Amino acid sequence: MKKFTWLIVLSSILLFAGCTTQPNVETDHQANYDFSALKTFSVVETKQDTKEDILISPFTLSHIHSALDSELGKRYQSAASGAKPDFIVSYHVVVEEKIDPRSYDDLYGFGFYGRGYYRYPSPFFHGPGAGLRVYNQGSLIIDIVDAKTDKPIWRGVSEKRLSRGMAPQQQREVLSKAVTEVISFFPPVQAAPK
């Protein structure tokens, strides 16, 4: 009985761990760049010039801008008005519809025959309402450019599944966390020269 109880507890933990929507953060940077020389920064306004950008509230973009200023201001100095910063930060938010890959498995059941498992059409998922699940995938892209050379030196991307009915305040909380998580990877940890 104890083994069965532990099995249920372990299964529950794994199930909840699989259901969490932690952002996936990926970064890339210019090799051999001296990030230690960076002292001042400036965050530039994002341009809303594509259909996807126009769908994102200007208040949300302003919130991201403030969150970037705040996070980077903890480690760097904001460039004075009219002064040239060491690096420039730009950002983009992209929201795309994605298909949940698990919805394919809902359309089929599993059975056991002889030595192996096989898939068969499930009788539970036919008819109206059966099919693919679609969700929104939000991506926050942060680019950092060397202000002297105007060349990119670092990029960070955070992706997270978004609820369709998410209120603007909830979106801003999610984006604030994403900004914090992405910026925590800047500057990149570099290997000491040999």
Side-chain angles (χ1 to χ4, degrees):
M1 185 66 175
K2 283 186 178 181
K3 283 185 180 181
F4 182 70
T5 304
W6 278 107
L7 184 62
I8 290 174
V9 170
L10 182 61
S11 297
S12 299
I13 291 169
L14 292 174
L15 176 67
F16 287 119
C19 291
T20 60
T21 55
Q22 292 295 322
N24 175 28
V25 177
E26 293 183 13
T27 63
D28 197 8
H29 65 278
Q30 181 181 336
N32 302 322
Y33 184 86
D34 183 13
F35 288 92
S36 65
L38 301 176
K39 306 291 182 216
T40 60
F41 74 95
S42 178
V43 180
V44 296
E45 296 290 332
T46 190
K47 294 179 183 171
Q48 290 182 271
D49 52 4
T50 65
K51 178 183 166 191
E52 290 78 19
D53 284 343
I54 291 170
L55 294 175
I56 297 165
S57 164
F59 308 112
T60 298
L61 294 174
S62 176
H63 180 80
I64 294 169
H65 191 108
S66 297
L68 280 166
D69 267 332
S70 174
E71 282 302 311
L72 288 167
K74 294 174 183 176
R75 291 177 277 149
Y76 300 96
Q77 187 175 6
S78 182
S81 182
K84 190 164 190 167
D86 295 328
F87 65 96
I88 298 169
V89 183
S90 63
Y91 57 94
H92 251 16
V93 178
V94 179
V95 179
E96 300 174 289
E97 282 192 343
K98 299 271 188 172
I99 296 172
D100 187 339
R102 293 175 295 176
S103 61
Y104 290 110
D105 286 337
D106 287 347
L107 297 175
Y108 291 90
F110 293 91
F112 183 77
Y113 178 75
R115 297 182 190 172
Y117 286 93
Y118 64 94
R119 292 175 67 139
Y120 61 89
S122 173
F124 303 108
F125 293 99
H126 291 295
L132 304 176
R133 285 187 293 254
V134 177
Y135 65 93
N136 285 337
Q137 176 82 27
S139 300
L140 171 67
I141 303 163
I142 300 174
D143 286 317
I144 296 183
V145 173
D146 183 305
K148 293 181 185 89
T149 63
D150 205 28
K151 291 186 177 177
I153 55 173
W154 186 87
R155 171 174 270 197
V157 179
S158 174
E159 293 184 337
K160 186 173 188 334
R161 185 179 288 209
L162 303 173
S163 301
R164 287 181 177 264
M166 197 177 272
Q169 185 58 36
Q170 291 173 308
Q171 287 179 356
R172 290 176 194 139
E173 287 172 16
V174 168
L175 288 167
S176 289
K177 287 180 186 175
V179 166
T180 302
E181 288 164 352
V182 173
I183 292 301
S184 72
F185 288 91
F186 181 79
V189 176
Q190 295 176 299
K194 294 180 181 180

